[in-house]
């Protein structure tokens, strides 16, 4: 997964694309976070783009599809996705159990549906061409998965295994190419017979503000505000609130916290952003990433407040120290402050925090940090006891003793 900046040019979509590929982002693999968990989605996107390009005799550099892995590390995810959804002809969702339970891709689907409802064309809802990427259990079939079978349910292996398996396995190559060809033909026919004019679509996260109480993941920012920052710091880094901190200045279009929040949301977690001054006990209740600007310790008050936070940090809060290596002050004071933060973590008996110094590195590491925080929370968070009465489950071969308490009223052993 790549990222969310002003200086980085977004994918060119002014001429419109034939299709928008929508999928559920997968969490990094714990055994090797460097491996791309969505590798086969990228393979399918490339194959579908090539198939469409060949059928319409387009040049090799003609962008016929949109796929968010193309975004540069500095791009504004939400703005670019919104523009792409408003300038594409066909929406291609890759249905899977993860897709149908993840609010982010479902938000993309709903945003496109709203665009179709307002479109002045006939056959408007043919502009969604669903694909069965990973099958759901037979007892959990939905209208969406049944719809995804209509195009290629007769192709061997597709209904049972989904297109991902057909893409991965050489033994299914002929079946994969058959389904791929049908999807490409359908996309082209819809785009050419019922052209969809460009239009405005709602933002995917337009109604996705997550309150502190509803949060499943929290991003906490420990950084000075513009009023608190040292006078020598450059413009564009600090703002009125700590949550608006941009450590890489004009390289990034969005605050650092938004990068993390977008990553967590695309992994299916309702996410809340707060400053460490306003965090309260939220980190005790949710997996979290704590973004630390070393300049927070440039004054004694900030150092004192950060020490209080670090001393009671749960294991499921993952700290990350962010320092811009291109900041001329980083080589001197910035590195000294970062070392002071490292000492504070050692005194708090915390493992050393990761440190990033470049925007691409910051974006690249985000899925790994979100996944690790979630894993530590599931492993270490206290279990809330149930207030329901415990019952003894009947055991085969063990008759109930005479006069025993009726099943359902005795505590389990």
């Amino acid at each position: 997964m790549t990222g969310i900046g002003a200086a980085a040019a977004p994918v060119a979509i002014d001429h419109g694309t034939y299709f928008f590929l929508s999928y559920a982002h997968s969490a990094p693999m714990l055994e090797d976070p460097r491996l791309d968990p969505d590798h086969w989605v990228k393979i399918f996107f490339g194959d579908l783009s090539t198939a469409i390009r060949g059928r319409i005799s387009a040049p090799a550099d003609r962008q016929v599809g949109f796929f968010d892995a193309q975004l540069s590390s500095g791009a504004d995810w939400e703005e670019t996705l919104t523009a792409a959804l408003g300038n594409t002809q066909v929406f291609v969702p890759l249905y899977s159990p993860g897709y149908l339970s993840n609010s982010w891709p479902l938000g993309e689907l709903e945003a496109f549906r709203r665009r179709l409802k307002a479109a002045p064309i006939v056959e408007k809802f043919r502009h969604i061409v669903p694909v069965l990427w990973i099958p759901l259990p037979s007892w959990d079939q939905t209208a969406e998965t049944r719809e995804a079978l209509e195009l290629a349910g007769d192709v061997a292996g597709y209904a049972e295994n989904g297109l991902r398996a057909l893409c991965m396995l050489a033994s299914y190559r002929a079946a994969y190419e058959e389904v791929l060809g049908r999807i490409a033909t359908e996309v082209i026919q819809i785009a050419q017979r019922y052209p969809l004019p460009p239009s405005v679509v709602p933002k995917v996260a337009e109604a996705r503000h997550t309150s502190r109480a509803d949060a499943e993941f929290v991003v906490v920012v420990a950084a000075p505000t513009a009023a608190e920052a040292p006078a020598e710091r450059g413009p564009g880094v600090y703002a009125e609130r700590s949550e608006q901190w941009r450590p890489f200045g004009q390289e990034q279009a969005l605050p650092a916290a938004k990068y993390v929040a977008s990553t967590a949301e695309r992994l299916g977690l309702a996410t809340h952003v707060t400053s460490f001054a306003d965090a309260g006990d939220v980190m005790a209740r949710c997996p979290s990433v704590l973004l630390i600007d070393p300049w927070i310790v440039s004054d004694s008050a900030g150092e004192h407040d950060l020490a209080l936070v670090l001393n009671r940090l749960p294991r499921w809060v993952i700290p990350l120290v962010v320092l811009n290596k291109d900041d001329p002050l980083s080589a001197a004071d910035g590195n000294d402050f970062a070392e002071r933060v490292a000492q504070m973590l050692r005194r708090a008996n915390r493992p050393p925090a990761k440190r990033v110094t470049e925007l691409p590195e910051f974006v690249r590491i985000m899925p790994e940090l979100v996944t690790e925080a979630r894993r530590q929370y599931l492993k270490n968070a206290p279990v809330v006891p149930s207030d329901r009465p415990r019952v003894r489950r009947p055991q085969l071969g063990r008759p109930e003793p005479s006069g025993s308490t009726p099943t359902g009223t005795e505590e389990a052993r």
Side-chain angles (χ1 to χ4, degrees), residues 3 48 60 97 99 114 149 151 153 156 198 208 210 253 268 295-296 332 341 349 369 392:
L48 183 57
Y99 192 105
R114 292 187 188 182
L149 291 173
L151 187 66
R208 289 170 50 84
T210 301
W295 288 82
I296 193 72
V341 172
N349 294 317
L369 295 187
R392 186 178 67 186

Side-chain angles (χ1 to χ4, degrees), residues 214-292:
D214 296 331
E216 299 173 303
F217 194 91
V218 178
V219 184
V220 183
V221 182
T225 64
E228 300 165 339
E232 63 268 25
R233 299 312 316 278
V237 176
Y238 301 105
E240 183 179 352
R241 296 182 58 83
S242 297
E243 300 95 306
Q244 299 168 318
W245 171 51
R246 286 174 165 84
F248 302 101
Q250 299 305 312
E251 288 185 59
Q252 55 186 105
L254 298 177
K258 183 62 177 176
Y259 287 60
V260 190
S262 294
T263 300
E265 287 171 351
R266 295 169 83 185
L267 290 172
L269 300 172
T271 303
H272 179 69
V273 176
T274 184
S275 70
F276 83 124
D278 298 329
D281 66 346
V282 69
M283 287 186 285
R285 297 184 284 104
C286 292
S288 311
V289 165
L290 173 63
L291 299 177
I292 302 174

Side-chain angles (χ1 to χ4, degrees), residues 329-375:
L329 297 176
S330 292
D333 294 341
N335 282 323
D336 291 342
F337 293 142
E339 180 54 35
R340 192 179 302 175
V341 172
Q343 293 173 359
M344 294 167 67
L345 284 164
R346 287 194 291 269
R347 288 196 296 269
N349 294 317
R350 292 284 305 192
K354 291 183 180 294
R355 185 191 301 190
V356 297
T357 60
E358 297 178 323
L359 179 59
E361 179 188 16
F362 176 82
V363 172
R364 179 191 58 78
I365 202 174
M366 277 306 111
E368 179 184 342
L369 295 187
V370 171
T371 301
E372 177 62 14
R374 179 67 174 157
R375 186 179 74 86

Side-chain angles (χ1 to χ4, degrees), residues 101-379:
S101 62
N102 188 321
S103 61
W104 187 274
L106 289 177
E108 293 175 343
L109 177 57
E110 178 58 25
F112 191 77
R113 281 175 172 163
R114 292 187 188 182
R115 178 187 173 199
L116 293 179
K117 288 179 182 178
I121 60 172
V122 297
E123 300 287 346
K124 58 179 65 179
F125 288 101
R126 289 190 61 185
H127 286 259
I128 299 176
V129 177
V131 172
L132 185 65
W133 188 242
I134 299 175
L136 274 70
S138 58
W139 60 85
D140 200 21
Q141 294 297 316
T142 65
E144 288 84 359
T145 55
R146 288 190 291 270
E147 184 183 4
L149 291 173
E150 293 180 3
L151 187 66
D154 59 324
V155 176
Y158 176 69
E160 298 83 4
N161 304 304
L163 191 61
R164 181 175 182 269
L166 272 58
C167 179
M168 293 173 61
L169 303 175
S171 58
Y172 282 116
R173 191 64 196 178
Y176 173 68
E177 291 179 351
E178 173 65 24
V179 178
L180 183 71
R182 293 188 190 186
I183 297 170
T185 299
E186 184 76 2
V187 168
I188 293 168
Q189 289 179 349
I190 292 170
Q192 294 180 347
R193 291 181 183 178
Y194 314 104
L196 188 62
S199 56
V200 176
V201 299
K203 291 184 178 181
V204 173
E206 191 174 65
R208 289 170 50 84
H209 173 73
T210 301
S211 69
R212 181 193 305 264
D214 296 331
E216 299 173 303
F217 194 91
V218 178
V219 184
V220 183
V221 182
T225 64
E228 300 165 339
E232 63 268 25
R233 299 312 316 278
V237 176
Y238 301 105
E240 183 179 352
R241 296 182 58 83
S242 297
E243 300 95 306
Q244 299 168 318
W245 171 51
R246 286 174 165 84
F248 302 101
Q250 299 305 312
E251 288 185 59
Q252 55 186 105
L254 298 177
K258 183 62 177 176
Y259 287 60
V260 190
S262 294
T263 300
E265 287 171 351
R266 295 169 83 185
L267 290 172
L269 300 172
T271 303
H272 179 69
V273 176
T274 184
S275 70
F276 83 124
D278 298 329
D281 66 346
V282 69
M283 287 186 285
R285 297 184 284 104
C286 292
S288 311
V289 165
L290 173 63
L291 299 177
I292 302 174
D293 176 9
W295 288 82
I296 193 72
V297 302
S298 62
D299 68 74
S300 58
E303 183 172 2
H304 174 267
D305 292 344
L306 181 61
L308 291 178
V309 171
L310 296 182
N311 284 332
R312 59 175 186 264
L313 213 58
R315 293 182 62 85
W316 51 83
V317 179
I318 308 299
L320 177 69
V321 176
V322 185
L323 192 65
N324 184 0
K325 72 177 183 61
D326 294 327
D327 182 347
L329 297 176
S330 292
D333 294 341
N335 282 323
D336 291 342
F337 293 142
E339 180 54 35
R340 192 179 302 175
V341 172
Q343 293 173 359
M344 294 167 67
L345 284 164
R346 287 194 291 269
R347 288 196 296 269
N349 294 317
R350 292 284 305 192
K354 291 183 180 294
R355 185 191 301 190
V356 297
T357 60
E358 297 178 323
L359 179 59
E361 179 188 16
F362 176 82
V363 172
R364 179 191 58 78
I365 202 174
M366 277 306 111
E368 179 184 342
L369 295 187
V370 171
T371 301
E372 177 62 14
R374 179 67 174 157
R375 186 179 74 86
Q376 290 293 341
Y377 181 80
L378 294 174
K379 179 180 178 182

Side-chain angles (χ1 to χ4, degrees), residues 394-412:
Q395 298 180 8
L396 292 176
R398 179 179 178 180
E400 293 291 334
S402 175
S404 63
T405 304
T407 300
T409 61
E410 182 179 331
E411 286 197 344

